[in-house]
Amino acid sequence: MTKYIFVTGGVTSSLGKGIISASLAKLLQARGYRVTIQKFDPYINIDPGTLNPYEHGECYVTEDGAETDLDLGHYERFLNTPTSKANNITTGRIYQNVINREREGAFLGKTVQVVPHITDEIKRNMRILGETGDYDIVITEIGGTVGDIESLPFVEAVRQFKWEAGPGNALVIHLTLIPFLAAAGELKTKPTQHSVKMLLEYGIQPDILVCRTEHHINMDIRKKIALFCNVNINAVVESMDASTIYDVPLLMLKEQLDKTVLTKLKLSHKNEPNLDNWKDFLGRLKNPTSEVKIGLVGKYVELPDAYKSIIESFIHAGAKNECKVRVQYIPSEQLTIENAVDKLRGLHGVLVAPGFGERGFEGKIEAIRYVRENNIPFFGICLGMQCSVVEFGRNVLNLKDASSTEMNPDTPHPVIAMMEDQKNVINKGGTMRLGAYPCDLKKGSKAALAYGKTHISERHRHRYEFNNSYLKDYEAAGLTPSGINPDNGLVEVVELKNHPFFVGAQFHPELKSTVANPHPLFINFVAASLAYARKN
Ligand code: GLN
């Protein structure tokens, strides 16, 4: 029978529920349990696909093409197992399901209400992954902070779920903050007490409290929290600020969070967790023997969460190369023909980021021209790849005003364009190519050498494609289409001959980089940047 763990948050947002959930899952997995994590978000958007990355950070795409919360990226990076559409549910999706059923007449004339209809639908979704039989333990992270109006139906659903599951089958971990008051020189437990009181008001007694803190919490504080919040002393878990998120599983291991959870769920502790590979990764991450500076050219650089998976991919690939990757954010809007050289000086590699819309487009083109002409390693992802095709068209093939039809619908040379069969779909989001697609790599290409194989599958999130009517001209001039979708002939990878590393990918490799499997294209891009740094 599947056991359920719910993770709620109190006091403030941004305490790192996602990382705590992923770390606990990692420990349970390392003990031999099959674990998955799902996130329930209280906002009304059906999914995060249409959310501005400035507001909500990156949109993470799963194998089955769901546009999801970026926490799912953490789950995959920690666990090295794929998530799916079922792993991320929003209030909007819950209401949509209920309202659709109401229109179908499924409620037989009854009044449709938050309790029981919305809470029932939430509980049904909480069980979906558990009922597949693929998991021993399902961890459900509840977005938002307890006490928010919009989280209420979720909290009520957790209460009911726990009661129905019975003792030992479901538990609640509440993540709170123990602030340090500098003036008093003290850690304060009151906000935690209040937050637990609020949960109690909703009928939930948390089983475990994970306390975020900047200073160690001593035994007296632990006793105080235990006494005032009705939990065992070993259920008060300290979560110190860490220098990297990848330390958190080891910190939780030290606090025995995994053992406490297993005992409460009446599960055997099995083996001590096998974390050899994880520790090996941490060792490399913390003891780099070299350093490279890589420019990240993008439109949303003010909010690094917008490029979360890319940043994490650099951390994985850096550790693999025993090399510290310093990422320098370069706002594409500020790049011009005149200043590109200055802004990119001193970089050992340049990554041009994914994105949508015209803003910053010309700046990206300038950056690419500079790195192409100066043999600086280049990696273009999605829009970044499309920009490299436009740049090459304009400056090498002399296709005047070549562009993507996304940026200029009237361009005389639509080298990047929407495919005919997509044009009829009007719904925003509906036209998008989403999720995993296969790709064949050309033998001997840089991409094939990096992957060590020629059949791959990668995730997509875009509308526009390389326009194959220009394919021959590009190939003849040296920009090789080295990755092709075997089903429809669409170009997935381009790379430049006679350049140390110039690779553009139509897909999003950053979505598949994990601690256990750093992405080969990132590994090779960092290695090429390192080689460049050593020579220059
Ligand atoms: N805007 C481009 C497209 O829709 C690229 C999207 C992306 O970079 N994810 O095709």
Side-chain angles (χ1 to χ4, degrees):
M1 199 190 113
T2 309
K3 307 268 182 168
Y4 292 86
I5 299 170
F6 295 94
V7 180
T8 57
V11 184
T12 76
S13 57
S14 307
L15 290 181
K17 280 194 300 270
I19 301 297
I20 291 294
S21 304
S23 300
L24 171 60
K26 179 79 225 164
L27 295 179
L28 298 171
Q29 183 193 54
R31 282 185 185 270
Y33 285 102
R34 299 169 305 156
V35 191
T36 190
I37 317 174
Q38 53 189 2
K39 177 150 194 211
F40 283 50
D41 274 314
Y43 49 75
I44 294 173
N45 306 62
I46 301 288
D47 62 41
T50 52
L51 287 178
N52 183 339
Y54 276 129
E55 284 210 20
H56 210 80
E58 145 192 294
C59 169
Y60 188 80
V61 180
T62 56
E63 288 289 295
D64 60 352
E67 297 177 284
T68 70
D69 185 81
L70 56 77
D71 269 343
L72 272 74
H74 289 309
Y75 307 161
E76 291 201 11
R77 287 187 282 272
F78 275 56
L79 295 182
N80 196 40
T81 52
T83 53
S84 69
K85 193 171 150 203
N87 292 72
N88 191 197
I89 304 288
T90 67
T91 291
R93 172 83 65 199
I94 298 285
Y95 272 80
Q96 191 185 44
N97 292 347
V98 172
I99 291 170
N100 286 345
R101 291 191 50 226
E102 188 270 338
R103 292 290 85 182
E104 289 161 9
F107 296 104
L108 305 173
K110 282 216 160 24
T111 312
V112 183
Q113 294 174 298
V114 173
V115 182
H117 302 104
I118 294 298
T119 45
D120 279 352
E121 177 63 11
I122 294 174
K123 284 191 291 177
R124 188 182 72 79
N125 279 276
M126 284 171 170
R127 279 190 297 264
I128 287 177
L129 285 169
E131 284 169 351
T132 61
D134 294 339
Y135 304 104
D136 305 310
I137 301 168
V138 175
I139 300 179
T140 303
E141 179 190 343
I142 306 293
T145 308
V146 167
D148 294 349
I149 292 174
E150 53 261 54
S151 310
L152 257 175
F154 292 101
V155 175
E156 167 61 12
V158 171
R159 184 194 69 74
Q160 293 182 14
F161 194 109
K162 198 181 170 203
W163 185 81
E164 286 166 352
N169 295 322
L171 63 79
V172 173
I173 298 178
H174 190 54
L175 179 59
T176 75
L177 177 71
I178 309 282
F180 180 76
L181 280 198
E186 266 180 35
L187 286 166
K188 292 294 185 189
T189 65
K190 197 73 85 188
T192 294
Q193 295 180 40
H194 281 299
S195 173
V196 170
K197 285 225 165 71
M198 187 160 280
L199 260 184
L200 286 168
E201 249 171 61
Y202 299 144
I204 295 179
Q205 167 63 55
D207 299 276
I208 296 172
L209 296 174
V210 176
C211 306
R212 259 307 278 279
T213 172
E214 289 170 18
H215 299 272
H216 285 294
I217 49 176
N218 61 28
M219 204 29 101
D220 285 346
I221 295 178
R222 286 179 197 246
K223 277 186 190 155
K224 190 168 166 185
I225 295 171
L227 177 65
F228 291 122
C229 301
N230 313 320
V231 295
N232 305 335
I233 185 105
N234 65 358
V236 179
V237 171
E238 169 190 286
S239 171
M240 281 280 281
D241 289 1
S243 62
T244 153
I245 54 170
Y246 298 106
D247 269 337
V248 179
L250 299 182
L251 296 177
M252 291 304 110
L253 180 68
K254 221 169 117 220
E255 289 286 303
Q256 306 197 336
L257 175 62
D258 52 336
K259 278 190 183 165
T260 308
V261 161
L262 290 172
T263 307
K264 286 186 186 292
L265 291 177
K266 301 195 187 100
L267 290 171
S268 111
H269 290 184
K270 287 199 178 173
N271 329 318
E272 277 308 296
N274 178 356
L275 292 164
D276 292 349
N277 293 341
W278 193 270
K279 287 180 186 161
D280 175 61
F281 159 76
L282 273 178
R284 289 162 177 271
L285 179 64
K286 291 183 175 180
N287 301 291
T289 54
S290 50
E291 185 173 312
V292 287
K293 229 196 293 175
I294 292 183
L296 172 56
V297 179
K299 166 166 121 169
Y300 309 109
V301 290
E302 292 88 343
L303 182 79
D305 261 7
Y307 300 113
K308 194 81 199 163
S309 293
I310 291 178
I311 303 301
E312 298 305 321
S313 300
F314 274 131
I315 292 175
H316 307 155
K320 188 82 186 170
N321 283 287
E322 290 179 26
C323 159
K324 162 104 194 130
V325 179
R326 283 200 188 284
V327 176
Q328 191 171 318
Y329 297 99
I330 301 168
S332 46
E333 272 173 291
Q334 292 173 14
L335 280 172
T336 61
I337 306 185
E338 294 76 35
N339 72 13
V341 183
D342 275 345
K343 295 239 181 220
L344 303 178
R345 204 191 304 277
L347 295 174
H348 309 125
V350 170
L351 185 146
V352 176
F356 292 83
E358 195 191 1
R359 195 158 61 85
F361 182 67
E362 295 299 327
K364 291 179 178 180
I365 304 277
E366 277 318 305
I368 295 170
R369 177 191 192 132
Y370 176 73
V371 295
R372 180 178 56 75
E373 292 179 343
N374 291 281
N375 288 320
I376 300 169
F378 163 77
F379 192 12
I381 298 184
C382 209
L383 180 60
M385 172 270 196
Q386 298 175 351
C387 290
S388 72
V389 170
V390 170
E391 190 279 329
F392 194 86
R394 287 184 192 174
N395 300 324
V396 180
L397 298 178
N398 291 319
L399 303 173
K400 199 171 164 332
D401 295 326
S403 197
S404 158
T405 52
E406 178 182 9
M407 316 302 160
N408 176 9
D410 304 320
T411 169
H413 294 291
V415 291
I416 301 289
M418 200 183 274
M419 299 298 96
E420 281 309 315
D421 57 349
Q422 291 172 293
K423 286 185 184 160
N424 308 328
V425 194
I426 342 147
N427 259 352
K428 276 241 180 223
T431 47
M432 210 86 84
R433 183 144 78 104
L434 283 167
Y437 285 87
C439 169
D440 285 349
L441 300 174
K442 216 174 230 153
K443 278 207 183 77
S445 64
K446 282 202 183 73
L449 290 175
Y451 281 92
K453 56 184 176 186
T454 52
H455 300 293
I456 59 163
S457 163
E458 291 280 2
R459 296 184 203 167
H460 293 248
R461 181 176 187 243
H462 57 103
R463 286 193 187 87
Y464 298 85
E465 309 278 355
F466 185 100
N467 183 343
N468 276 341
S469 31
Y470 292 90
L471 191 70
K472 288 219 160 57
D473 296 344
Y474 274 84
E475 197 161 13
L479 193 68
T480 315
S482 61
I484 304 283
N485 181 322
D487 301 328
N488 52 24
L490 291 173
V491 173
E492 309 285 33
V493 186
V494 293
E495 56 187 75
L496 197 60
K497 281 192 186 145
N498 307 322
H499 188 286
F501 191 98
F502 188 102
V503 175
Q506 182 60 81
F507 48 75
H508 288 268
E510 75 275 20
L511 301 176
K512 284 183 75 170
S513 187
T514 68
V515 169
N517 278 319
H519 197 283
L521 290 178
F522 274 90
I523 297 175
N524 281 35
F525 175 50
V526 170
S529 304
L530 196 54
Y532 179 87
R534 291 203 169 118
K535 266 199 287 171
N536 290 275

